[in-house]
Amino acid sequence: MSNEPLGAPVVRRDGRDKVTGAARYAAEYTPPGCAYAWPVPATVGRGRVAAVRTAEVLAMPGVIAVLHHENAPRLEQPADRTLWVLQDDRVPHRGWYVALVVAESLETARAGAGALRVDYRTEEHDVGPVTAAHPGLYTPETANAGHPADREHGDFDVAFEAAPVRFDATYSMVGLHNHPMEPHAATAHWRDGHLTVHDSSQGTTAVRDVLASMFGIGPERVTVIAQHVGGGFGSKGTPRPQAVMAAMAARVTDRPVKLVLPRAQLAAVVGHRAPNIQRVRLGSATDGIITAFAHEVIAPTSTVREFVEQTAVPGRVMYTSPSSRTTHRVAALDVPSSSWMRAPGEAPGMFALESAMDELATLLDLDPVDLRLRNEPDTEPDSGLPFSSRHLIECLREGAERFGWESRAHDRSTRTEGDLLLGTGVAAASYPVLVSRSSASAHASADGSYLIRTNATDIGTGARTVLAQIAADALGAPLDDVRVEIGDSDLPSAPLAGGSSGTASWGWAVHKACTGLAERLRALPGPVPRDGVSVAADTDEETAQKPPFARHAFGAHFAEVQVDRVTGEVRLRRLLGVYAAGRILNARTARSQFIGAMIMGVGMALTEGSTMDPVFGDYAERDLATYHVPCCADIRNIEAHWLDEDDPHLNPMGSKGIGEIGIVGTAAAVANAVRHATGVRLRDLPLTPDKLLPHLL
């Protein structure tokens, strides 16, 4: 391969390994003497474990051990209490792990777990639903990512009452689950007091540190490896129970132990997007200029760990309004703990906000694109900071041109093809620019090759490839001469792959190390010495400095749908996105990221949903047969485009995150298209046929 410039559509370096099966995932490491574990979830909604009747299971041929709260290794309590499993008799929700069966084979471990009898003392439990009338509602200190739970500017109540045009509606969503193709898995073994874990994780540095703390050993005595990860979407963003339980079982049995969490159990133990209720109020002048804005969110959290999705935060960024109120309220229930799911906060929040903007446009008889253009702010509404770059207007205009929106702007009547109702919709998107401290090393060998080392994680995004491009660009070297090592906690420390911050964080450190190495090489009086030249770098100083800018990526989504008036089925015909996300570092992997997120947004709009059992509080959909994600037949025509955006206030590469902005706004664009097709506004996702059909008869 020739020396490709940064931004070129370079083929993924690990592509061949993945399609040929050479790539190895956490569950595919089987050390000699490896045993297998299978977890046992609680079957009650809340209570205490009264007895674990192990005798029958321990008598089964091949069963090695049964771990539970009375005999499992004692661990230090972590900040995330979802990891503190098998430590006491408490059952905070159905599905909480109460035992672990370890056996010579996977089949025996599973049979033993199925045969294990656990007695409980049940307690009264509250599984909701959470509404505005729930007595347990409270105001959290902060929402996810440290955002203030509440923000208010001006006097919303006065401004809203005075507005000539007022809009007030409530939107809702059921719970959503990440369901990565690769289940959560870990293979652990101890040797001479050193713990090694192959874990399916979005960030092994964090897993190492948490395991070291829980087991009371130094982090230098723990190695966590994640060479390849089969998706995560947030559910693997922080340590999960499989790594803890595999390490416990390995310590007790003194042999390697492999634990793959069954998909049927994932809905209760590795996080999800919590259901929510969102009230949006907009007051405007007759020309569409917004004068009052309120976004108030209600959602459940768990009694184990508080997690508050920052659902109202996007409204603090998007549109001008001198008077605004954004709030979050939660109630702690006896239900599984929610956590990060792709674009936490922004994805559900922008569904409600962008749906409300579409409804306001209808009230005003304005084109929805035009309404958004009229409310473009000069600075970020919440902070007052100038934007480092904001090209939402350009995204909307280019998207409208590419999509052929002009015909919709001038003719808003419903189109039909037989029993099919056709409609189009638009929505804007925004996602913050995030970056974390990272470190990397760069080594030049005497043979002219280079080795880049950093503990980044590739969860299918092409991290190896893009980091090699960044390094080659900084070194001025051919891409083929650059080798990258990632996915091992013994490498230079790096943050997780999440929050669309991975490439910006790791790439900054790689760029700094390679720039330093290039300077060292230029200063050499002769050729590179036999043992080579190395440079290490970190971005502690750079990431500690907060630039005086509001930094966000922006985008626009345009959707066309058909609705069958006989069956109520919605089918996507076209989906187009245009993004302003800084400098695109690899056109091939970027497009894959954008369209993957867009497809996930389509699922959010039309098919995906987890139904909470009203008695026990766990989720009914526990496999990919009942939790419906879009398949190839559901996505007919999808396009992702981007602007050439030059933003000097980001990082040396000039890049913004791209993994999540594609899902933000997509659900609203699809929902707005359904409203345009049918004339019916449904405000509860997903838009399944049973909800639509009564309005079409």
Side-chain angles (χ1 to χ4, degrees), residues 19-190:
V19 299
T20 60
R24 287 290 179 263
Y25 295 80
E28 296 181 300
Y29 292 91
T30 309
C34 188
Y36 298 81
W38 195 279
V40 178
T43 58
V44 299
R46 177 179 168 180
R48 298 279 176 175
V49 175
V52 182
R53 303 188 181 278
T54 62
E56 179 183 347
V57 175
L58 289 171
M60 296 173 62
V63 171
I64 302 169
V66 178
L67 303 186
H68 50 86
H69 71 278
E70 293 181 345
N71 65 1
R74 297 299 92 188
L75 305 178
E76 296 294 326
Q77 184 172 306
D80 182 357
R81 287 178 58 87
T82 65
L83 301 176
W84 212 52
V85 291
L86 310 186
Q87 297 300 294
D88 59 28
D89 63 353
R90 181 180 59 112
V91 177
H93 60 78
R94 194 179 195 192
W96 178 262
Y97 287 139
V98 295
L100 184 71
V101 176
V102 187
E104 296 288 351
S105 70
L106 176 65
E107 293 78 9
T108 301
R110 179 175 58 193
L116 185 68
R117 288 195 298 150
V118 180
D119 298 337
Y120 302 94
R121 293 191 301 271
T122 60
E123 301 172 358
E124 291 294 322
H125 57 279
D126 178 10
V127 300
V130 173
T131 66
H134 193 283
L137 277 181
Y138 68 93
T139 303
E141 290 188 13
T142 60
N144 180 43
H147 294 284
D150 293 358
R151 295 287 281 173
E152 186 148 5
H153 296 277
D155 191 325
F156 167 77
D157 293 319
V158 171
F160 186 71
E161 287 302 316
V165 180
R166 293 189 296 274
F167 171 77
D168 183 346
T170 298
Y171 304 86
S172 61
M173 292 172 49
V174 296
L176 298 173
H177 278 84
N178 315 63
H179 279 305
M181 185 173 291
E182 178 203 19
H184 295 63
T187 303
H189 66 274
W190 295 81

Side-chain angles (χ1 to χ4, degrees), residues 45 125 127 612-618:
H125 57 279
V127 300
M612 181 172 285
D613 187 308
V615 176
F616 289 104
D618 59 342

